[in-house]
Amino acid sequence: MNKANLIKDSTELRKAIAENPELPIVVMVGREAVCDDYGYTYCEVVRCAVGEILDCDVPWSEEVYSDKDDFEEDLADYLCVSDKCYAQMSDEEFEKILEKKKAEYEPYWSKAIIVTADNY
């Protein structure tokens, strides 16, 4: 028989919880782990880190953001595409609007223990 490697070391998660007992835990599962044929899927790769997650919907994607740089880049792209008037602005004017829009999302960024799991 071959070992299935379903059991994962929880040292990293226990440490994150012990150091941050007040933080919520968020579990994010990657596309490779999704399987419609079964109720549960066991993941080969499981990681844990303390980070931030955007806890609100965005109009341009169903993606869940846990990286502020990725969020800012996608927000800027969305603004450029969604409203033609932004194309007429200077870089400085656009940057001011981008900063204002980013500030609207700031209250929705939450620190959390983020567990990611996938099969890749």
Side-chain angles (χ1 to χ4, degrees):
M1 282 191 215
N2 294 325
K3 186 171 170 127
N5 292 319
L6 300 176
I7 308 301
K8 303 298 175 191
D9 181 10
S10 62
T11 303
E12 192 177 349
L13 179 58
R14 285 194 320 270
K15 180 180 177 194
I17 292 170
E19 292 174 356
N20 305 278
E22 75 287 354
L23 292 182
I25 295 176
V26 176
V27 178
M28 297 175 59
V29 179
R31 287 185 185 102
E32 297 297 320
V34 176
C35 180
D36 293 338
D37 295 339
Y38 304 101
Y40 291 94
T41 298
Y42 296 95
C43 296
E44 295 172 16
V45 180
V46 179
R47 294 190 179 99
C48 165
V50 174
E52 286 187 287
I53 191 161
L54 184 64
D55 191 15
C56 73
D57 296 328
V58 295
W60 62 86
S61 175
E62 292 182 15
E63 183 174 347
V64 175
Y65 288 93
S66 59
D67 182 292
K68 285 189 172 185
D69 291 336
D70 289 345
F71 169 78
E72 181 176 351
E73 185 177 316
D74 289 353
L75 174 59
D77 290 346
Y78 171 74
L79 292 175
C80 287
V81 171
S82 69
D83 194 333
K84 304 274 188 252
C85 73
Y86 293 124
Q88 318 302 323
M89 293 181 176
S90 69
D91 289 346
E92 294 80 23
E93 290 172 316
F94 182 78
E95 198 61 39
K96 284 181 185 177
I97 289 178
L98 178 60
E99 290 302 316
K100 181 180 176 190
K101 291 290 187 183
K102 274 182 18 185
E104 291 174 13
Y105 286 94
E106 194 58 38
Y108 299 98
W109 283 98
S110 297
K111 192 172 179 181
I113 298 168
I114 303 170
V115 178
T116 56
D118 210 343
N119 289 326
Y120 54 86

